[in-house]
Amino acid sequence: MYFNCKHKPIAMDTVKIAVIGGGLMGFSTAVCISESIPQCSVTVISEAFSPNTTSDVAAGVLIPHKFHGTPIHQQCNWFKETFDYLFSIYNSAEAGDAGIILLSGWQIFQTPPAEKYPFWSDVVLGFRLMTDSELKKFPRYVFGHAFTTLKCECPPYLLWLEKRLKRNGGQVRAGKVQDVWELHGQYDIVVNCAGLGSRELCGDQQIYPVQGQVLKVKAPWLTHFVRDGSGSTYIYPGISSVTLGGTRVPNEWSLKPDARVSKEIFKRCSALVPSLEGVQDTREKVGLRPARTAVRLEKEVLLRGGQRLHVVHNYGHGGGGFSVHRGTAKEVTRLVEETVTLLRSTMTKSKL
């Protein structure tokens, strides 16, 4: 299928940028580009939008995990830039519309971790080791962290990003892009934030799904998060519901909830927070995390029939996208700026 897109008339020196992907990475990247690069038009193209994206299933809590193929200092920078960005929104009149809240709680371990202070400990607020009296609440656990972090509520955050993009002059188009070359001639630069779609879109066999199943429950009395340090069990209170999780099943493509798994999740979470036994309203959700050894964040120039297509990739964040999304968006924006400079230089030379 050829993706056709009609544009409003724009200035000849305007650089046209297409961002493929309507989830967290696509919209946050598009917003960052639209805010940073003058004389550019940004269009987000996606087959699915909120509330039907992987991002909508995620709890949206900023607790990073390590990307093994990415340097730690880079991951720390991405996280800090994301935390600072969201914290500034939280401290503004936009917080309610954006769905940004502060969330305090505990990360607990049955065996003390090799690193008692994780690489992100000085970025979150009030990070400290749990006291013995706090650990008594969790009898099977011997060590823990206490801290305050941020949480992005979905879909409010995605809708807020979309409104911000449109306010900056950006556009949103519904449609499936099967080959990035479909966009050649319509756009000067293509930014690929397609997540798992990159497997088909650009033949990347390194990206694979990690299926995650969660429960969304009504438990307004819960105000603190609890997370098993292994990441296997977590309870994340939000504005309208509490997210209970979870599962991590590599290379499983099914989006169908498993009732047996839901019972197991509920049993594990209730063991940590017994008051959950009283919840009534429970919804099952399944999402596919776009996992990869390392986040693919790089420029690429595609060649076909003597034609060039400039592409910037930003995908493979697995289950850690919310923790680093603004940081990676800023890096993508820098790469796009370099490409814009190159294109304008080439344009100027051709006129001469």
Side-chain angles (χ1 to χ4, degrees):
M1 183 183 93
Y2 184 85
F3 184 89
N4 190 22
C5 181
K6 294 181 180 178
H7 284 283
K8 296 176 182 177
I10 54 178
M12 289 299 289
D13 57 348
T14 297
V15 175
K16 294 175 287 184
I17 301 168
V19 178
I20 303 173
L24 175 68
M25 291 304 153
F27 272 111
S28 59
T29 300
V31 167
C32 194
I33 292 170
S34 70
E35 291 172 343
S36 306
I37 304 178
Q39 290 181 293
C40 75
S41 70
V42 183
T43 302
V44 170
I45 305 170
S46 183
E47 187 179 15
F49 295 96
S50 183
N52 302 311
T53 72
T54 299
S55 307
D56 288 288
V57 179
V61 178
L62 271 65
I63 302 178
H65 67 248
K66 287 184 179 179
F67 301 109
H68 295 293
T70 305
I72 285 293
H73 70 87
Q74 190 173 41
Q75 296 182 50
C76 194
N77 287 340
W78 289 346
F79 179 57
K80 187 177 188 318
E81 287 173 343
T82 304
F83 194 95
D84 290 348
Y85 174 70
L86 293 177
F87 196 48
S88 69
I89 298 171
Y90 173 77
N91 285 315
S92 77
E94 299 278 321
D97 286 342
I100 309 298
I101 64 172
L102 279 178
L103 189 60
S104 300
W106 304 281
Q107 178 169 240
I108 51 179
F109 299 83
Q110 292 182 326
T111 302
E115 296 177 346
K116 290 187 176 181
Y117 291 86
F119 71 90
W120 44 265
S121 60
D122 61 346
V123 177
V124 296
L125 307 178
F127 185 94
R128 60 178 175 79
L129 303 185
M130 287 174 67
T131 64
D132 291 340
S133 59
E134 284 175 309
L135 282 167
K136 286 179 181 177
K137 176 174 166 53
F138 310 104
R140 296 188 298 114
Y141 293 80
V142 300
F143 181 83
H145 303 140
F147 57 93
T148 298
T149 189
L150 290 154
K151 183 180 189 300
C152 300
E153 292 283 304
C154 270
Y157 184 56
L158 290 183
L159 294 175
W160 181 82
L161 286 171
E162 182 177 346
K163 288 177 185 175
R164 196 171 183 87
L165 174 67
K166 289 177 178 177
R167 197 161 63 236
N168 294 342
Q171 301 179 60
V172 175
R173 300 280 187 249
K176 180 177 175 61
V177 181
Q178 295 178 316
D179 185 337
V180 290
W181 280 97
E182 295 173 16
L183 305 178
H184 182 263
Q186 301 176 67
Y187 298 95
D188 302 300
I189 302 169
V190 176
V191 180
N192 173 26
C193 298
L196 277 176
S198 300
R199 193 178 176 95
E200 179 184 350
L201 192 65
C202 50
D204 186 353
Q205 298 301 308
Q206 292 186 51
I207 190 164
Y208 62 95
V210 176
Q211 185 203 60
Q213 182 166 324
V214 299
L215 304 178
K216 303 282 186 176
V217 305
K218 297 286 186 182
W221 60 89
L222 295 183
T223 56
H224 285 68
F225 75 82
V226 180
R227 180 184 190 274
D228 185 297
S230 68
S232 61
T233 305
Y234 47 85
I235 300 145
Y236 294 133
I239 295 172
S240 59
S241 65
V242 179
T243 302
L244 309 181
T247 62
R248 284 180 170 81
V249 186
N251 295 304
E252 175 56 67
W253 289 88
S254 174
L255 287 168
K256 184 179 179 182
D258 185 323
R260 179 187 56 81
V261 170
S262 292
K263 287 180 181 178
E264 176 60 27
I265 290 171
F266 192 78
K267 180 181 178 182
R268 284 189 273 119
C269 290
S270 297
L272 290 179
V273 180
S275 68
L276 282 169
E277 293 285 359
V279 302
Q280 300 294 325
D281 185 8
T282 302
R283 290 173 294 135
E284 299 169 307
K285 296 280 187 179
V286 176
L288 304 179
R289 305 175 180 96
R292 204 172 180 274
T293 304
V295 174
R296 189 180 184 192
L297 209 168
E298 63 182 359
K299 292 187 293 185
E300 183 180 21
V301 179
L302 302 179
L303 301 173
R304 181 183 289 183
Q307 299 293 314
R308 288 173 171 250
L309 181 61
H310 293 270
V311 180
V312 180
H313 298 284
N314 181 27
Y315 65 87
H317 300 74
F322 274 94
S323 294
V324 298
H325 70 275
R326 179 67 179 189
T328 56
K330 285 185 71 173
E331 190 162 336
V332 169
T333 299
R334 180 180 60 78
L335 297 179
V336 171
E337 282 177 322
E338 292 175 0
T339 306
V340 167
T341 301
L342 175 65
L343 288 173
R344 285 181 173 155
S345 173
T346 304
M347 216 179 295
T348 302
K349 288 177 182 177
S350 66
K351 288 177 180 177
L352 294 174

